[in-house]
Amino acid sequence: MTDGTPGATRRRLAQELAVVAGFEDPRAPLEQYHTPPDLAAHIVHVADLQGDIEGETVVDLGCGTGMLALGAALRGPKRVVGVDIDPAPLSTALDNERRVGATADVSWLRADATEAPLCPDDGVTVLMNPPFGAQTGNEGADRAFLETAVDIAAVSYSVHNAGSESFVESFADDNAGEVTHAFAAEFDLPRQFDHHEESTRSIDTEVFRIEWGQ
């Protein structure tokens, strides 16, 4: 008998996403980090429980190799669109789509997620793990991603550095939005850039669900 509890359902999704390959040649200026399957499954599971996935259009801004997009694709959306400026991870995302066996309508779009050429007829659900702005010259990168969410989303889920609550709530208030859910999550980072000194480390992050006034 299948365990249908929320925790078991989330764990099952994480297992399905474990086959998603990461970046072959990650670019530090773009802060390309592989979203951990457990974190992606948690975000998608919460979104699904809120009615934000099934039958909806889901857009993954800065999708990388497709972890969040493919998590959503396994939960019965109307369609999924992954947007990324770098063609290399989009090619991997297409391979990952085959690996997870997604049957949903999934499209991969090469474009700047901060200027996404999307004009949806109805509000969409945005899932995103935007750059945190940790690289010099990339400060405030997550703000630009939120600005895109304002334009296209009815609701968004986004990952930010721990301690971002006041910034995210203030941004939402200024743009007719409301933070309805927030939860802490660990983000495991493997050593993949020269400035990394440890083989792996965990950073504290926060995930926010925002409803936007359309």
Side-chain angles (χ1 to χ4, degrees):
M1 184 174 184
T2 301
D3 184 350
T5 63
T9 303
R10 187 176 68 243
R11 287 193 297 273
R12 187 162 59 250
L13 180 58
Q15 292 169 354
E16 292 176 297
L17 293 176
V19 300
V20 173
F23 296 91
E24 291 186 7
D25 186 20
R27 297 170 59 186
L30 295 179
E31 297 187 38
Q32 291 178 329
Y33 296 103
H34 185 59
T35 304
D38 287 346
L39 176 56
H42 193 174
I43 294 170
V44 171
H45 185 67
V46 171
D48 196 24
L49 290 176
Q50 295 300 314
D52 297 327
I53 300 292
E54 187 174 0
E56 302 294 330
T57 297
V58 179
V59 176
D60 181 354
L61 295 175
C63 65
T65 63
M67 181 67 80
L68 287 170
L70 293 173
L74 294 172
R75 288 297 180 89
K78 180 179 180 180
R79 66 175 67 89
V80 176
V81 180
V83 182
D84 203 281
I85 197 170
D86 188 351
L90 287 177
S91 177
T92 303
L94 185 59
D95 291 337
N96 284 333
E97 182 184 345
R98 301 187 188 100
R99 289 189 180 97
V100 303
T103 58
D105 178 5
V106 181
S107 301
W108 306 104
L109 174 63
R110 183 186 179 186
D112 185 344
T114 66
E115 299 177 356
L118 300 172
C119 298
D121 293 333
D122 50 3
V124 307
T125 296
V126 162
L127 306 179
M128 57 182 175
N129 176 22
F132 294 160
Q135 297 295 314
T136 301
N138 208 29
E139 296 85 353
D142 51 353
R143 175 185 291 273
F145 277 69
L146 286 172
E147 288 171 349
T148 300
V150 172
D151 291 337
I152 68 172
V155 59
S156 68
Y157 293 77
S158 53
V159 185
H160 302 265
N161 261 328
S164 298
E165 182 177 2
S166 59
F167 154 65
V168 174
E169 288 186 342
S170 177
F171 183 92
D173 288 343
D174 290 343
N175 291 275
E178 179 184 4
V179 175
T180 62
H181 297 70
F183 58 88
E186 285 192 349
F187 196 121
D188 294 327
L189 291 179
R191 187 183 189 281
Q192 60 183 31
F193 298 124
D194 291 341
H195 63 270
H196 289 168
E197 298 178 354
E198 302 167 289
S199 59
T200 185
R201 67 188 181 99
S202 293
I203 61 172
D204 294 327
T205 64
E206 294 172 319
V207 181
F208 298 92
R209 178 185 187 270
I210 307 174
E211 291 184 356
W212 301 101
Q214 295 290 315

